[in-house]
Amino acid sequence: MEEFLTALEKRLSEMADSGYRDFQLGLIPGIQPETMVGVRTPQLRRLASELRKSGQGSTLLEALPHGFYEENILHGLLLSQLSDYEETVAELERFLPYVDNWAVCDLLSPRAFRSRPHQLPEQIQRWMGSSHPYTIRFGLGMLMSFYLDEPYFDPKYLSWAMSVPTGEYYVDMIAAWYFATALAKQYDAVLPLLQERKLDRWVHNKTIQKAVESRRITEEQKTFLRTLRWKA
């Protein structure tokens, strides 16, 4: 494994773009500069595909924790392509505790979840109950991706989303994104939560902001939502 990781790091350094690295560091707060090489996402996608086809992808998945941001991106890309549901959940359980930024978290899009097995909502709820902010963010993201459209939507999922702890910026942001998207898809179910101020105040106002900026919300709905802003 050590030989593989050394070769991988050498490969990443050969693809590095210092200008892109500086740009990325400005977008992803909290990343230590020395842990980012500066490789563009399309190149990482091609490299992940190459590793998967060569059979070396499994070696990278085993090598936690990673030393570089790009290795985490590669890990997320490889994990997302796994086809078995149980294996995917097991690999997420190993990987999510090491996710420390929104970019790696939001990249995760598990192929195995597209079949929507009946056990997925309960697994999502467990992730949302985590004490780790990016595990919570991932869970909320999956709830938003798979369970806002018919016939999979259930009003109880709104309660799940309301139960996540507030005060962590990247959790609050995904919560607002979730409820704004829910307004676009399940307006009548979500509107009472705003009318009755059931959400955290910051999430409430950010939800309205995002909904008003959305093209999926009608002008009439936007006009009414503006009246529901929670003022000081």
Side-chain angles (χ1 to χ4, degrees):
M1 181 181 291
E2 185 175 345
E3 183 179 347
F4 164 75
L5 292 175
T6 299
L8 178 61
E9 290 171 11
K10 181 175 184 297
R11 182 86 177 273
L12 290 171
S13 67
E14 291 170 350
M15 295 188 286
D17 180 331
S18 60
Y20 181 71
R21 173 178 175 274
D22 293 342
F23 173 72
Q24 285 290 91
L25 285 172
L27 290 178
I28 311 174
I31 291 286
Q32 297 300 313
E34 64 272 16
T35 68
M36 182 176 285
V37 180
V39 182
R40 295 178 181 273
T41 302
Q43 292 175 288
L44 291 172
R45 289 188 183 278
R46 287 193 291 271
L47 179 54
S49 179
E50 180 184 320
L51 292 173
R52 185 171 62 252
K53 291 176 181 177
S54 70
Q56 293 179 304
S58 58
T59 304
L60 181 63
L61 292 179
E62 292 173 7
L64 284 172
H66 300 302
F68 293 95
Y69 165 80
E70 285 80 4
E71 290 175 326
N72 280 320
I73 292 289
L74 286 170
H75 192 123
L77 290 169
L78 289 164
L79 193 160
S80 294
Q81 288 301 309
L82 296 174
S83 58
D84 181 77
Y85 174 80
E86 297 294 346
E87 181 185 10
T88 300
V89 170
E91 288 298 330
L92 282 165
E93 291 290 303
R94 292 182 60 245
F95 183 54
L96 284 171
Y98 297 104
V99 175
D100 61 0
N101 64 82
W102 66 264
V104 173
C105 182
D106 293 1
L107 176 86
L108 292 166
S109 181
R111 172 186 173 189
F113 289 179
R114 294 173 191 169
S115 60
R116 298 178 176 86
H118 68 277
Q119 66 266 46
L120 180 55
E122 284 66 35
Q123 179 60 56
I124 287 174
Q125 188 180 32
R126 285 192 285 274
W127 283 324
M128 290 167 57
S130 170
S131 61
H132 181 239
Y134 290 102
T135 300
I136 299 171
R137 183 178 172 97
F138 173 73
L140 261 172
M142 292 298 98
L143 198 67
M144 178 171 64
S145 295
F146 294 113
Y147 295 98
L148 283 178
D149 293 303
E150 301 295 345
Y152 304 105
F153 174 71
D154 188 318
K156 72 179 181 182
Y157 299 148
L158 299 175
S159 298
W160 291 6
M162 290 169 58
S163 71
V164 301
T166 58
E168 165 60 49
Y169 178 78
Y170 287 103
V171 173
D172 291 347
M173 280 296 293
I174 193 69
W177 186 8
Y178 170 84
F179 285 111
T181 305
L183 275 170
K185 296 186 174 186
Q186 303 289 344
Y187 184 81
D188 291 339
V190 181
L191 185 61
L193 304 181
L194 298 175
Q195 291 174 308
E196 299 168 20
R197 294 188 174 179
K198 296 289 188 180
L199 307 182
D200 167 81
R201 178 174 170 174
W202 190 93
V203 173
H204 174 108
N205 287 332
K206 184 61 70 171
T207 295
I208 292 173
Q209 178 188 327
K210 286 180 171 292
V212 167
E213 293 170 353
S214 173
R215 295 182 180 180
R216 295 180 290 181
I217 303 289
T218 69
E219 290 303 318
E220 181 180 4
Q221 290 170 338
K222 290 178 181 179
T223 298
F224 183 64
L225 288 171
R226 289 187 182 100
T227 71
L228 299 179
R229 286 175 174 148
W230 194 338
K231 299 179 182 178

